[in-house]
Every structure is written in C-alpha cells, then in structure tokens.
C-alpha cells in the first residue's frame, strides 16, 4: 500500500489502529469465545445438491476462537458488497435484516445494542480487509478506484458509527 496507494495509507492505518483497540476491548469483556469461520460470506458457502442440499463451508484459513459477531459482520458486509450489482440497497437491507432476525430467533439470543455494535465492528473490518486486498493485488490487477470507493463507504457508513 505504501508504494501503490500512499494517499490511502494513513487513513487505513488510523482505521486499523482503532479497530484493533475496539476489538481487543470487546474480546476482554466477552464471557466466552465461539469457534468462528473468520471469512464467512456467500462465496464460501456451498450447497451439495446431490446430498439433500446440505450446506458446507470452504476457505477455512481464518478459523479462530472469537466473537460470534465476527462471522455475522463479515457475512453482512460481503452480502451487501456482492449483491449491489443485482439488488437495490433497500432490498439488500431487507435481506440483511431478515437474516439477522432469523439467526437470533433460531439461536435464541437477544439482539442488543452491544451486539449490533460488535457486528458493525466486523462489517468495518471486512470492508477494510477488502480495500487492502484490492490495493495489494498483482500490479496488473490492482484496482485503486474500487478500493478508494469502498474505503470511502467504510468511512462514511461503518467507521463513523463505531
């Protein structure tokens, strides 16, 4: 990033430092940690149509003991990003809302302000991770405009609410 997008470096560093601090404080307050995928999003879910449509997960390189909100935030941010070419923002928001309602109903967990903030944290993490990915690809594939647009979205839609 230092060589390829120096104009983004300071902003990314500031965000990373804040995210690390918030996550560290949140993890200290949790009573327990959960086994999480760490890169949970629609592309990492597979459906075995030959075996009763069973669901499976791929890309298990980020598995960890962490906050269950990590997978939720990751999924919601990636769903929003991946679906924007196919759906209106209102429809994406409705899908996200339905997903969370069903998740918390099935898991019998009360959806609190604290949980909402933790999900927001991981939505921000995931978006920033994508920005870094876009800026560190092979020189011929680097996508600065895409990275800068997403960085701006993160700053305005997620980061300001942490």
């Amino acid at each position: 990033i230092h060589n390829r997008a120096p104009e983004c470096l300071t902003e990314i560093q500031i965000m990373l430092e804040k995210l690390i601090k918030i996550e560290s404080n949140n993890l200290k307050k949790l009573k327990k940690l959960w086994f999480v995928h760490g890169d949970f999003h629609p592309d990492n879910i597979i459906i075995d149509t030959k075996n009763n449509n069973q669901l499976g997960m791929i890309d298990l390189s980020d598995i960890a003991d962490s906050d269950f909100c990590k997978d939720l935030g990751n999924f919601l941010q990636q769903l929003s990003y991946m679906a924007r070419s196919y759906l209106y923002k209102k429809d994406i928001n409705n899908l996200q809302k339905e997903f969370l309602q069903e998740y918390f109903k099935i898991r019998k967990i009360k959806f609190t302000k604290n949980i909402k903030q933790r999900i927001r944290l991981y939505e921000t993490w995931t978006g920033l991770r994508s920005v870094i990915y876009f800026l560190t690809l092979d020189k011929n594939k680097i996508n600065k405009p895409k990275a800068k647009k997403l960085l701006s979205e993160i700053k305005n839609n997620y980061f300001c609410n942490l």
Side-chain angles (χ1 to χ4, degrees):
I1 296 172
H2 182 20
N3 294 327
R4 294 179 179 187
E7 67 277 15
C8 299
L9 186 60
T10 301
E11 192 169 15
I12 290 171
Q13 286 174 323
I14 289 168
M15 286 183 177
L16 281 172
E17 287 171 11
K18 184 173 180 180
L19 292 172
I20 289 168
K21 184 177 180 181
I22 294 169
E23 181 180 41
S24 178
N25 288 336
N26 284 350
L27 290 174
K28 287 176 191 172
K29 294 175 188 173
L30 292 177
K31 293 178 182 158
K32 72 176 190 171
L33 298 177
W34 292 261
F35 188 67
V36 299
H37 184 275
D39 191 19
F40 184 60
H41 58 80
D43 280 351
N44 285 338
I45 299 170
I46 57 172
I47 301 171
D48 186 351
T49 57
K50 294 178 183 175
N51 193 8
N52 251 358
N53 289 331
Q54 286 190 336
L55 296 177
M57 300 296 299
I58 60 171
D59 190 5
L60 305 172
S61 60
D62 292 329
I63 285 178
D65 287 334
S66 191
D67 184 349
F68 73 91
C69 293
K70 185 174 192 170
D71 278 344
L72 294 174
N74 198 318
F75 184 84
L76 293 173
Q77 193 281 333
Q78 288 293 304
L79 174 65
S80 173
Y81 190 77
M82 292 173 177
R84 67 178 56 180
S85 298
Y86 309 101
L87 299 172
Y88 294 110
K89 181 146 182 66
K90 180 183 93 175
D91 296 327
I92 294 170
N93 291 341
N94 286 337
L95 273 175
Q96 291 175 321
K97 185 178 177 181
E98 277 183 50
F99 172 79
L100 286 176
Q101 286 173 342
E102 286 302 308
Y103 178 88
F104 286 102
K105 184 172 117 184
I106 291 167
R107 298 285 317 273
K108 297 180 178 141
I109 299 172
K110 184 178 179 191
F111 185 71
T112 65
K113 183 179 177 183
N114 176 268
I115 287 174
K116 184 177 181 177
Q117 289 172 330
R118 290 172 16 224
I119 292 171
R120 177 66 55 164
L121 167 71
Y122 293 111
E123 285 178 296
T124 307
W125 260 121
T126 303
L128 193 56
R129 195 171 145 165
S130 294
V131 167
I132 293 167
Y133 173 77
F134 295 144
L135 293 175
T136 56
L137 289 170
D138 179 282
K139 285 182 191 177
N140 299 325
K141 295 180 183 175
I142 191 169
N143 195 331
K144 258 192 195 184
K146 196 175 194 177
K148 286 182 175 184
K149 182 179 180 191
L150 184 54
L151 186 60
S152 177
E153 287 178 24
I154 293 164
K155 184 177 166 184
N156 296 324
N157 297 328
Y158 298 112
F159 197 71
C160 63
N161 294 316
L162 292 177

